[in-house]
Amino acid sequence: MADRYLRATGTAPGRFLARRLGLPLPVPLRRHSAGTSELPGPVLRLAAGETPPARGEAPYGGVVVDATGIDGPGALSGLHTALHPLARSLAPCGRVVVLGGRPQDGGFAQAAAQQALEGFVRSLGKEIGRGCTVNLVRLAPGAEPDAALDFLLSPRSAYVSGQVVEVGPAAPATPATPAAEPRTALVTGAARGIGAAVAETLARDGAAVVLLDVPQAGDALAQVAARLGGKALTLDITAPDAGERIAAALPGGLDVLVHNAGITRDRKLANMAADRWDAVIDVNLGSVLRTTAALLKAGAVADHARIVGTASIAGIAGNVGQTNYAASKAGIIGWVRALAADPELRERGITANAVAPGFIETAMTAAVPLVIREAGRRMNSLGQGGRPADVAETVSWLAAAASGGINGQVVRVCGQSLLGA
Ligand SMILES: NC(=O)c1ccc[n+]([C@@H]2O[C@H](COP(=O)([O-])OP(=O)(O)OC[C@H]3O[C@@H](n4cnc5c(N)ncnc54)[C@H](O)[C@@H]3O)[C@@H](O)[C@H]2O)c1
């Protein structure tokens, strides 16, 4: 669905009018999927408290501020020192990443100051504008920020802003060298929309992809699979034996498991028949737990595997007419956190994370009535909807072999939506 407003405000008269009326001024985002792999300028790295060197005409494309040493309220002024001079001068679609520690790793003053970083980052994300993103990476003792920075300082994270991602030390069993064989990735609900984009991005990033969808979507699924050189598996994920059937179809096992299939059956609770409740809970949550348990039991999930669930900002903020959907998506968040804390999975280097998309331009959101659709598109810091590729880039990052230190996280891909903020 074309975003005509974004196109109109890309013209001089459109921008003039929008500015006069005080309307949002979205900037076309610089995305990896559009063939851009670089930020629009160099990345400056400095510690909180340092003054950034002047750049003259060519602006910075990104800035990383190391705030791990901030251990009390007085030291917070270091954020102002480092970022005040850059807040207006960062290149359009630039990146700000603040590196912090975990609030639980110091005393009372450290806890307060490190939690303060969250409020700072979320506020700067809302005010910086011009397509720039602002995120916080919290480092546990012994953790390396590289995998998080590679993503957050690239066009792949164009629609990820206002997020807090905690990075722990990589699992003890992480192999020193990447596997020679391509990793096998299963994506459910891959015939169209976000799932098709996830499969495409994982294939681009080197995985052998297996695409699953319901038999009714078989033709579309076969086309996507053929385009990506992947394998199509037509199967209703709610079938009681779905996990066993996937395991049988993939004798070599799985390195990446992306639960993307999902449905909505919206009604206010007072008007919702029990079958609408049951269908949503079963597709979005029940089947995810069942199939994963069956795959683990069958030994089909490789060591160092990456499990990625699909939540939603509705599962964080709630939404009118979506008690069933929001419950299912919040359930995904609880589930990945529990998997991430499981000693056996940790020992095997398996991680579990979730993406929580906001307003993404797909068939699902094209069906939303115009006024609500426009509100969904604009009510975020970037003033526009995301694309399936934005979610897919985030999934591929969480699914990467290098992301072993990222576990139990929920990353919203929502342009810092006001919902779920
Ligand atoms: N589009 C958005 O704005 C948005 C926002 C938040 C979360 N999400 C979530 O992202 C995921 C993908 O969303 P989308 O917009 O691409 O949806 P979509 O409706 O375009 O695609 C969903 C796919 O899942 C498949 N599917 C449904 N039930 C299935 C089943 N029982 N077994 C196997 N496959 C099944 C469908 O056939 C379809 O191909 C969903 O989990 C959705 O809840 C989407």
Side-chain angles (χ1 to χ4, degrees):
M1 175 58 69
D3 185 343
R4 293 203 184 91
Y5 181 80
L6 178 63
R7 218 180 292 147
T9 51
T11 65
R15 285 194 87 71
F16 173 78
L17 203 61
R19 200 168 279 127
R20 288 299 294 266
L21 295 172
L23 295 171
L25 276 172
V27 167
L29 299 182
R30 192 181 173 93
R31 289 180 160 95
H32 185 104
S33 53
T36 313
S37 60
E38 301 288 326
L39 288 182
V43 175
L44 173 69
R45 289 164 195 259
L46 76 174
E50 279 182 51
T51 305
R55 268 294 291 174
E57 289 299 291
Y60 290 111
V63 54
V64 181
V65 178
D66 183 349
T68 51
I70 290 188
D71 56 2
L76 285 168
S77 63
L79 294 171
H80 183 273
T81 309
L83 284 168
H84 167 71
L86 297 170
R88 224 192 305 263
S89 65
L90 206 62
C93 299
R95 300 280 184 268
V96 178
V97 178
V98 176
L99 294 178
R102 297 187 307 180
Q104 67 267 39
D105 290 336
F108 299 141
Q110 187 269 1
Q114 287 297 325
Q115 191 64 38
L117 300 184
E118 192 171 320
F120 173 80
V121 158
R122 292 198 202 275
S123 298
L124 187 59
K126 288 183 178 177
E127 66 184 37
I128 194 164
R130 295 172 298 116
C132 296
T133 66
V134 186
N135 292 289
L136 172 63
V137 175
R138 278 195 183 132
L139 299 171
E144 293 296 334
D146 304 20
L149 289 181
D150 280 353
F151 175 70
L152 294 172
L153 293 174
S154 80
R156 298 173 64 198
S157 57
Y159 202 60
V160 176
S161 193
Q163 297 307 291
V164 181
V165 178
E166 186 174 309
V167 182
T174 299
T177 49
E181 292 290 306
R183 296 152 84 230
T184 301
L186 176 77
V187 184
T188 70
R192 66 178 199 189
I194 294 171
V198 169
E200 182 170 353
T201 305
L202 290 171
R204 179 200 71 191
D205 293 344
V209 285
V210 182
L211 299 88
L212 181 151
D213 214 299
V214 288
Q216 303 90 292
D219 288 348
L221 186 72
Q223 277 177 27
V224 183
R227 181 161 58 80
L228 304 179
K231 180 172 172 173
L233 197 57
T234 47
L235 176 65
D236 186 327
I237 200 71
T238 62
D241 60 348
E244 288 79 5
R245 285 165 65 188
I246 296 168
L250 299 171
L254 279 170
D255 303 287
V256 176
L257 174 54
V258 182
H259 288 290
N260 162 81
I263 58 169
T264 51
R265 296 284 183 272
D266 296 356
R267 284 279 191 285
K268 286 187 183 166
L269 185 64
N271 305 325
M272 189 184 294
D275 62 334
R276 297 177 84 88
W277 177 276
D278 293 342
V280 168
I281 297 289
D282 201 33
V283 174
N284 297 3
L285 186 61
S287 71
V288 171
L289 273 65
R290 270 198 313 277
T291 47
T292 307
L295 287 165
L296 284 166
K297 191 169 168 211
V301 181
D303 287 352
H304 317 294
R306 306 279 175 254
I307 298 171
V308 184
T310 305
S312 162
I313 54 168
I316 297 169
N319 205 8
V320 173
Q322 293 200 314
T323 51
N324 51 357
Y325 183 77
S328 72
K329 295 301 189 179
I332 289 293
I333 294 174
W335 177 69
V336 296
R337 287 183 179 151
L339 287 180
D342 181 74
E344 196 184 321
L345 297 184
R346 289 182 79 87
E347 182 62 29
R348 294 182 55 202
I350 296 172
T351 64
N353 295 285
V355 285
F359 185 98
I360 306 296
E361 307 277 359
T362 64
M364 198 186 249
T365 48
V368 172
L370 177 73
V371 174
I372 302 176
R373 188 165 71 227
E374 263 313 288
R377 273 182 178 145
R378 301 305 153 217
M379 285 171 60
N380 59 73
S381 296
L382 297 169
Q384 58 197 288
R387 295 191 188 157
D390 296 322
V391 183
E393 296 286 7
T394 310
V395 170
S396 189
W397 164 54
L398 296 172
S403 296
I406 304 172
N407 199 8
Q409 302 300 296
V410 180
V411 181
R412 299 203 321 259
V413 187
C414 65
Q416 197 178 18
S417 171
L418 298 185
L419 253 186

